[in-house]
Amino acid sequence: DAGITQSPRHKVTETGTPVTLRCHQTENHRYMYWYRQDPGHGLRLIHYSYGVKDTDKGEVSDGYSVSRSKTEDFLLTLESATSSQTSVYFCAISESRTSTDTQYFGPGTRLTVL
Amino acid sequence: AQKVTQAQTEISVVEKEDVTLDCVYETRDTTYYLFWYKQPPSGELVFLIRRNSFDEQNEISGRYSWNFQKSTSSFNFTITASQVVDSAVYFCALSEAYNNAGNMLTFGGGTRLMVKP
């Protein structure tokens, strides 16, 4: 199994509060991704990173920001959480950007915004 | 734009039955990759298979087999002699070789498979 951890694993927060989710990898992979999983939508890409301090937007990036100050850590921040951001968040890693590379996923973080 | 459709939202079978999960995709690229992931009740996502668009050979791995047909844009997944441990949500995903968002995976909505004893 790829060495990917996510913290926290569960979080309940209130509307309007900031929330930061952390993804940590021990594989030294260059690419890291944040997805959200919602019923009927599968997983959708929020942001991704292609190196330290190099990030870009995905399909559903509104309301989210990311940072990557070290190869092993990729942070996802909800500046002001809304109920529509209640979801399960998955981090993924891959060795390169080529489509031949498989993405491996972390265990997920279940976030509830009340 | 790329799109993946898994029309079967839920399938229920009795143990030892064979079951096929359908996946239909749309892409403008001639080079792309298709994936299947399994999400058991514990919630993690487990990689099952990757297939590139130039390789239409079917693949078999134990009780699992995959049928890739470019003519119908489908990448179907068959479990033979299903077992209770196969109960999970299965996702089909597509990655285009030249998309702009890194190596973005586009997922289908998933098929929940319930295998009853």
Side-chain angles (χ1 to χ4, degrees):
Chain A
D1 289 344
I4 312 169
T5 57
Q6 292 184 230
S7 59
R9 294 293 313 280
H10 302 271
K11 185 169 183 67
V12 179
T13 190
E14 294 189 349
T15 298
T17 59
V19 176
T20 295
L21 308 183
R22 178 181 183 239
C23 176
H24 179 79
Q25 58 138 334
T26 57
E27 306 296 322
N28 201 35
H29 282 357
R30 182 178 174 189
Y31 281 79
M32 299 184 75
Y33 311 81
W34 278 107
Y35 290 85
R36 59 178 288 174
Q37 181 181 9
D38 304 292
H41 291 278
L43 280 78
R44 292 176 292 175
L45 182 67
I46 304 171
H47 282 279
Y48 69 100
S49 169
Y50 47 97
V52 173
K53 297 186 179 177
D54 292 323
T55 65
D56 206 346
K57 296 178 180 180
E59 183 185 2
V60 290
S61 59
D62 288 348
Y64 301 95
S65 62
V66 290
S67 65
R68 192 166 177 201
S69 59
K70 298 185 289 185
T71 298
E72 57 266 34
D73 289 328
F74 191 32
L75 303 180
L76 177 70
T77 297
L78 292 64
E79 301 290 348
S80 177
T82 67
S83 58
S84 64
Q85 293 176 312
T86 293
S87 188
V88 181
Y89 291 86
F90 285 95
C91 173
I93 65 173
S94 67
E95 197 161 6
S96 76
R97 77 165 303 283
T98 63
S99 297
T100 55
D101 255 358
T102 297
Q103 288 183 30
Y104 294 95
F105 287 81
T109 294
R110 183 174 296 276
L111 176 67
T112 302
V113 183
L114 301 176
Chain B
Q2 55 193 49
K3 183 179 178 182
V4 176
T5 301
Q6 296 180 253
Q8 306 150 307
T9 54
E10 282 193 12
I11 301 175
S12 181
V13 299
V14 176
E15 208 169 19
K16 298 184 183 176
E17 283 185 20
D18 299 346
V19 58
T20 294
L21 310 182
D22 297 333
C23 173
V24 174
Y25 62 91
E26 295 176 28
T27 177
R28 294 178 194 162
D29 276 7
T30 55
T31 303
Y32 52 89
Y33 299 83
L34 296 163
F35 302 79
W36 276 94
Y37 286 86
K38 173 183 180 180
Q39 186 175 43
S42 51
E44 73 272 25
L45 279 158
V46 179
F47 165 72
L48 295 179
I49 190 172
R50 178 185 67 234
R51 172 69 62 198
N52 75 59
S53 54
F54 298 109
D55 183 2
E56 287 194 72
Q57 275 193 328
N58 292 334
E59 178 143 348
I60 299 174
S61 176
R63 296 184 297 107
Y64 294 172
S65 61
W66 290 269
N67 178 248
F68 175 33
Q69 291 196 338
K70 287 180 75 170
S71 61
T72 56
S73 298
S74 64
F75 186 43
N76 297 337
F77 174 30
T78 297
I79 301 175
T80 303
S82 60
Q83 299 176 2
V84 172
V85 293
D86 295 326
S87 297
V89 180
Y90 291 87
F91 291 99
C92 181
L94 165 71
S95 177
E96 294 173 331
Y98 302 109
N99 69 62
N100 294 322
N103 186 16
M104 182 182 82
L105 288 172
T106 295
F107 283 81
T111 297
R112 180 179 300 278
L113 174 65
M114 293 172 286
V115 182
K116 299 177 181 178

